[in-house]
Amino acid sequence: MIIVLRPEATKKDIGHIIEKVKKLGLKVMVSQGVERTIIGIIGEEDIVRVQPLEAYPGVEKVMSILKPYKLAAREFKGRASVIDADGIKIGGKKIVVMAGPCSVEDQDGLMSIGKAVKKSGALVLRGGAFKPRSSPYAFQGLGEEGLKYLMEVKKKTGLKIVTEVMDTREVELVERYADILQVGARNMQNFNLLKEVGLCKKPVLLKRGISATVKEFLMSAEYILSNGNFNCILCERGIRTFEDATRFTLDLNAVPLIKKLSHLPVIVDPSHGTGKWDLVSAMSRAAIAAGADGLIVEVHCSPEDAFSDGAQSLLPKKFDVMMKELGPVAKAVGREL
Ligand code: PEP
Ligand code: MN
């Protein structure tokens, strides 16, 4: 249930409504816009449905949302959310490109990649220090040492940091270094982790699970929002289908669909979505054309030696060409790079 207030509603009106709703044993979430305030009611809708909410001072209309996600629903904000990650805005006119290696491997290699992607126009450095690997024998990441390397590159280049957190016990540590906390595809339904990052102040990049429907994806976002963190960025990174010619099937339908269903920004990961470096540029252009707010792309100076995901990593010079090609596409859809 959503209560849309009149532009002239006073603080007293808002307080009065909140008090009444809380007395019914329901939770409220307030979205304070420039022009008007919207109050979301979370809990059993039937309890409020019988209340004459429209009669309360300051109320313009009351809308019932039948979607299982309420705070993530487009109606809750009535407009797109723009998320601030240490000064960078995600979800606005500018397309935000995040780039870097799959795994943080060593300081010098990361610094070279960081400097290169920054020069090409990336705003955020990606790199996993905690890696979710299918095999327990594969490289698991450098842990805190890797986070320190990311921080060094940030200091040198000004790039912001997005890095994965896999475990509730590591959220505090990762939040100390990261500007954006990444929740990976394999953890999209790790509800304890979602609750924990929901308590963080920093933005969360939530990746779609490999077999998750759009509804399940938005319900996972709802976990983060309902714990108080509205700074959630969604990432389409490909789903598993019958097609095995590519690593995953990049579901670009999800981009305009989620933009319609939710106010949250949506970015696309064409690296994991295809698994092939030579498909990354084309799918990046397609993602921007479909309305994505940004991209997260794997780049490595020597893909053949990468500890993980070398086959889908772009060389810096190929990334540079791709960035140049994205400009006109962004412009064609009213965005800028
Ligand atoms: C990654 O970004 O390196 C990663 C492991 O992604 P995903 O969770 O989408 O597989
Ligand atoms: Mn990877």
Side-chain angles (χ1 to χ4, degrees):
M1 185 81 78
I2 280 175
I3 305 174
V4 182
L5 300 185
R6 294 179 189 281
E8 67 274 14
T10 63
K11 275 202 176 119
K12 197 171 154 218
D13 296 337
I14 299 171
H16 178 63
I17 299 165
I18 293 175
E19 197 189 326
K20 284 271 189 182
V21 173
K22 281 192 175 160
K23 267 199 189 139
L24 295 168
L26 301 163
K27 215 168 138 189
V28 290
M29 285 276 181
V30 181
S31 163
Q32 206 106 40
V34 185
E35 304 225 329
R36 58 177 81 218
T37 300
I38 295 174
I39 301 176
I41 303 179
I42 307 152
E44 216 17 85
E45 282 213 349
D46 290 344
I47 303 174
V48 263
R49 222 184 302 259
V50 293
Q51 300 290 318
L53 293 171
E54 266 109 347
Y56 289 27
V59 174
E60 182 167 296
K61 62 177 169 185
V62 180
M63 295 189 293
S64 167
I65 301 183
L66 293 173
K67 295 180 185 120
Y69 45 88
K70 295 190 169 22
L71 307 176
R74 185 88 190 180
E75 293 89 335
F76 183 64
K77 278 240 165 157
R79 64 193 149 82
S81 285
V82 178
I83 289 169
D84 189 302
D86 197 29
I88 286 183
K89 304 264 189 282
I90 301 153
K93 190 169 182 195
K94 194 169 168 61
I95 305 283
V96 173
V97 179
M98 310 177 185
C102 177
S103 307
V104 175
E105 299 170 3
D106 63 289
Q107 181 69 90
D108 291 348
L110 187 68
M111 190 64 84
S112 308
I113 299 168
K115 284 181 179 166
V117 299
K118 162 89 186 186
K119 215 164 142 208
S120 302
L123 297 177
V124 181
L125 176 69
R126 63 144 292 144
F130 294 96
K131 294 302 303 175
R133 305 304 301 278
S134 302
S135 164
Y137 308 115
F139 176 61
Q140 303 286 310
L142 296 178
E144 186 171 8
E145 194 188 344
L147 298 174
K148 288 185 176 151
Y149 295 168
L150 287 163
M151 192 57 106
E152 282 307 308
V153 180
K154 176 176 179 174
K155 278 191 202 142
K156 194 94 185 171
T157 62
L159 286 166
K160 310 301 173 190
I161 299 168
V162 59
T163 194
E164 180 158 355
V165 59
M166 289 171 53
D167 194 304
T168 51
R169 291 166 297 185
E170 283 149 4
V171 170
E172 205 191 311
L173 170 72
V174 175
E175 199 186 15
R176 250 185 274 141
Y177 293 89
D179 297 302
I180 305 171
L181 294 135
Q182 177 175 326
V183 173
R186 287 150 196 86
N187 273 318
M188 190 207 82
Q189 286 188 317
N190 178 341
F191 301 116
N192 285 334
L193 183 61
L194 298 177
K195 285 182 200 165
E196 203 63 33
V197 295
L199 297 171
C200 292
K201 294 272 171 294
K202 298 220 173 136
V204 176
L205 175 65
L206 177 66
K207 299 189 91 176
R208 181 178 179 184
I210 62 176
S211 302
T213 63
V214 164
K215 191 163 147 192
E216 287 162 344
F217 190 18
L218 289 171
M219 286 308 285
S220 289
E222 189 79 5
Y223 263 92
I224 298 171
L225 271 56
S226 62
N227 277 282
N229 191 348
F230 270 72
N231 298 316
C232 180
I233 305 151
L234 302 172
C235 178
E236 163 57 44
R237 47 80 69 213
I239 50 173
R240 190 163 277 172
T241 66
F242 58 84
E243 180 57 77
D244 61 2
T246 48
R247 186 175 178 193
F248 292 96
T249 298
L250 189 62
D251 179 17
L252 287 184
N253 289 348
V255 177
L257 178 62
I258 295 174
K259 303 272 317 173
K260 199 169 81 174
L261 297 173
S262 176
H263 55 88
L264 298 172
V266 183
I267 72 162
V268 168
D269 175 349
S271 307
H272 292 87
T274 62
K276 295 177 187 293
W277 68 267
D278 52 351
L279 300 183
V280 169
S281 293
M283 295 316 287
S284 295
R285 295 195 296 272
I288 303 297
D293 297 299
L295 298 167
I296 181 162
V297 181
E298 288 184 341
V299 176
H300 198 284
C301 290
S302 179
E304 62 183 62
D305 299 313
F307 290 7
S308 54
D309 290 350
Q312 64 194 37
S313 299
L314 288 177
L315 280 163
K317 61 175 189 295
K318 294 232 157 55
F319 175 72
D320 192 63
V321 172
M322 179 186 100
M323 290 293 278
K324 291 194 169 82
E325 288 169 355
L326 288 178
V329 181
K331 199 165 165 226
V333 292
R335 310 291 289 265
E336 60 193 39
L337 202 65

